[in-house]
Amino acid sequence: MRKFLLLAVLLPLLAAGGWWYFHERSLPATGPLYREYAYITNGKSNTVTVIDLRSFRPVRNLQVGSEPTGIAANPKRNEIYAVNAGSNNVSVIDAEQNKVVATIGVNGRPYFIDVAPDGHRAYVANSGSANVSVLDLDRRTVAATLRVGSGPGLARVSPDGLTVVVSNRADNTVSLIDTTRLVVRSTIAVCLNPEDIAILPDSKKSFISCSSAGQVASIDLKRDKLLTLLDVGKSPVSLALKPDGGELITCNFGSDSISIIESTPNEVLSSQLIGAQPVRAVVSLDNSRLYVSNFGANSVAVYDIDIGKVIAIIPVGTHPDALTLSQSQNFLLVLDSGSGDVAIIQKRKPNKLEPSEYALLTIIPVGMQPNQIVVKSFLLTKPAADGR
């Protein structure tokens, strides 16, 4: 009888959107100054959507430059940086006020940005002008412009902050930038169409996916030397590194699979069919779960790394692409590039009422062609202007 009474109370609440209540009740007591937001670049809307991850409600739609693509958070201050490929600049967003406070001009067709671990500099690869803009984030100016290879797609900073690895897609090379002297110290030939970059936590080695070659290049960052080329699946478009650095996962878009690489010996351990056209992946902080967006299947696959098996397939919106985890690791945010929304997947403890570990919690409309997402959690340092 008690169970029936409980269901009689719960079901109307859930039907009326009462899951908001239970979500809020399940959050940790983080205090009135705690904030956690997701920032999404909408390429066709020229906006950045801000979603409050304490309530999963959109709170801002910020006008930025033309064709925003890459976005990154500063690890040391409450700022977000959105790269505008169409207007060749970077919008600086104050995360406490959720407003654009500055714009920094760069060069032709920038797509991505990466912030140094100390929060003082950022690096933007300008694909249309074959150079990298070094941003002084304290002064919000360009500190240097460094010539690299042709068609640079991504500039990634090493965890120790001493090296920037740049993938030059058009001439099949990688440029290594010395951040102390702000010079290109090496240019290394790798494989066809180098794209994504992963750097090990100890900053000694980098891996670069080459989409046209079906390979991943391994580079020694201490000796500036190509170590080996590893054969994976067709069109490896992105890389996901386990937080402990022990294994690297490639999303093989053209072969509907992932490949798992052991980073120390540079060996491909295995390959696994994961879904139609896997495009992005992220690994949980405890190194146990891999989440893969299947662009061609409109779903997300959950892969248990420890047992080497897909344990869940969750339908989402159209053409899922970029994805990230909340601070608690209990919520996965998936950008649906085709339907212009963000799918929120909840990880929970299974029980009799909810036997599955993962469930689609809600879908939040954003803008047209969402490209990238970043999560920023922080404590306010000044009173909120709008009381949020």
Side-chain angles (χ1 to χ4, degrees), residues 141-172:
T141 60
V142 175
T145 302
L146 305 177
R147 187 79 180 174
V148 290
S150 180
L154 183 65
R156 184 80 73 196
V157 192
S158 62
D160 63 11
L162 299 178
T163 303
V164 174
V165 181
V166 184
S167 54
N168 303 313
R169 295 174 297 178
D171 64 9
N172 308 324

Side-chain angles (χ1 to χ4, degrees), residues 69-70 83 85 108-114 123-132 148-156 164-175 193-197 208-209 280 372:
T69 52
V83 175
R109 302 301 291 180
Y111 284 103
F112 298 100
I113 183 169
D114 202 19
Y123 299 85
V124 180
N126 303 303
S127 65
S129 52
N131 55 32
V132 169
V148 290
S150 180
L154 183 65
R156 184 80 73 196
V164 174
V165 181
V166 184
S167 54
N168 303 313
R169 295 174 297 178
D171 64 9
N172 308 324
T173 65
V174 167
S175 297
N193 288 123
E195 292 192 16
D196 202 11
I197 300 167
I208 296 91
S209 65
R280 300 285 181 86
Q372 293 287 333

Side-chain angles (χ1 to χ4, degrees), residues 123-290:
Y123 299 85
V124 180
N126 303 303
S127 65
S129 52
N131 55 32
V132 169
S133 295
V134 182
L135 307 187
D136 183 328
L137 299 179
D138 301 324
R139 299 180 180 182
R140 295 173 179 167
T141 60
V142 175
T145 302
L146 305 177
R147 187 79 180 174
V148 290
S150 180
L154 183 65
R156 184 80 73 196
V157 192
S158 62
D160 63 11
L162 299 178
T163 303
V164 174
V165 181
V166 184
S167 54
N168 303 313
R169 295 174 297 178
D171 64 9
N172 308 324
T173 65
V174 167
S175 297
L176 303 182
I177 295 172
D178 184 318
T179 63
T180 303
R181 297 181 294 143
L182 287 183
V183 296
V184 175
R185 71 175 193 232
S186 297
T187 300
I188 302 170
V190 285
C191 39
L192 293 174
N193 288 123
E195 292 192 16
D196 202 11
I197 300 167
I199 305 175
L200 296 188
D202 63 7
S203 301
K204 293 181 180 179
K205 190 187 293 185
S206 176
F207 293 88
I208 296 91
S209 65
C210 296
S211 60
S212 293
Q215 294 178 314
V216 171
S218 174
I219 293 176
D220 185 327
L221 295 182
K222 299 306 175 184
R223 295 183 293 167
D224 294 1
K225 177 184 177 182
L226 176 66
L227 295 173
T228 189
L229 295 174
L230 302 168
D231 293 325
V232 290
K234 294 179 181 178
S235 306
V237 292
S238 66
L239 303 172
L241 184 66
K242 287 175 62 177
D244 64 11
E247 292 175 343
L248 178 77
I249 297 93
T250 71
C251 288
N252 305 315
F253 187 87
S255 55
D256 301 334
S257 67
I258 57 171
S259 295
I260 300 176
I261 296 170
E262 193 170 0
S263 62
T264 300
N266 293 321
E267 293 180 356
V268 178
L269 295 179
S270 63
S271 292
Q272 166 87 40
L273 290 174
I274 202 77
Q277 298 176 326
V279 64
R280 300 285 181 86
V282 64
V283 183
S284 60
L285 284 177
D286 64 3
N287 301 289
S288 68
R289 296 287 167 85
L290 173 76

Side-chain angles (χ1 to χ4, degrees), residues 312-328:
I313 299 287
I314 304 112
V316 290
T318 306
H319 297 328
D321 196 340
L323 68 175
T324 192
L325 287 157
S326 67
Q327 179 69 21
S328 69

Side-chain angles (χ1 to χ4, degrees), residues 2-140:
R2 289 176 187 168
K3 291 181 180 178
F4 286 116
L5 288 172
L6 179 61
L7 285 172
V9 173
L10 285 178
L11 289 175
L13 280 169
L14 293 171
W19 69 269
W20 295 110
Y21 170 78
F22 294 103
H23 165 61
E24 295 283 4
R25 296 278 292 179
S26 68
L27 285 175
T30 47
L33 298 180
Y34 179 79
R35 298 290 184 272
E36 185 173 355
Y37 298 113
Y39 296 84
I40 298 103
T41 54
N42 302 305
K44 295 287 188 180
S45 300
N46 301 333
T47 60
V48 168
T49 298
V50 185
I51 296 174
D52 189 333
L53 295 188
R54 298 167 300 162
S55 61
F56 293 119
R57 292 185 175 96
V59 294
R60 289 284 188 280
N61 211 36
L62 305 174
Q63 199 72 32
V64 290
S66 175
E67 299 176 46
T69 52
I71 194 162
N74 192 310
K76 299 298 184 181
R77 67 178 73 174
N78 298 335
E79 286 185 353
I80 307 296
Y81 312 101
V83 175
N84 306 305
S87 51
N88 303 331
N89 53 27
V90 175
S91 298
V92 180
I93 299 169
D94 183 322
E96 300 203 16
Q97 304 177 69
N98 279 323
K99 63 184 290 189
V100 177
V101 293
T103 302
I104 307 171
V106 289
N107 285 120
R109 302 301 291 180
Y111 284 103
F112 298 100
I113 183 169
D114 202 19
V115 181
D118 63 8
H120 292 300
R121 285 179 180 166
Y123 299 85
V124 180
N126 303 303
S127 65
S129 52
N131 55 32
V132 169
S133 295
V134 182
L135 307 187
D136 183 328
L137 299 179
D138 301 324
R139 299 180 180 182
R140 295 173 179 167

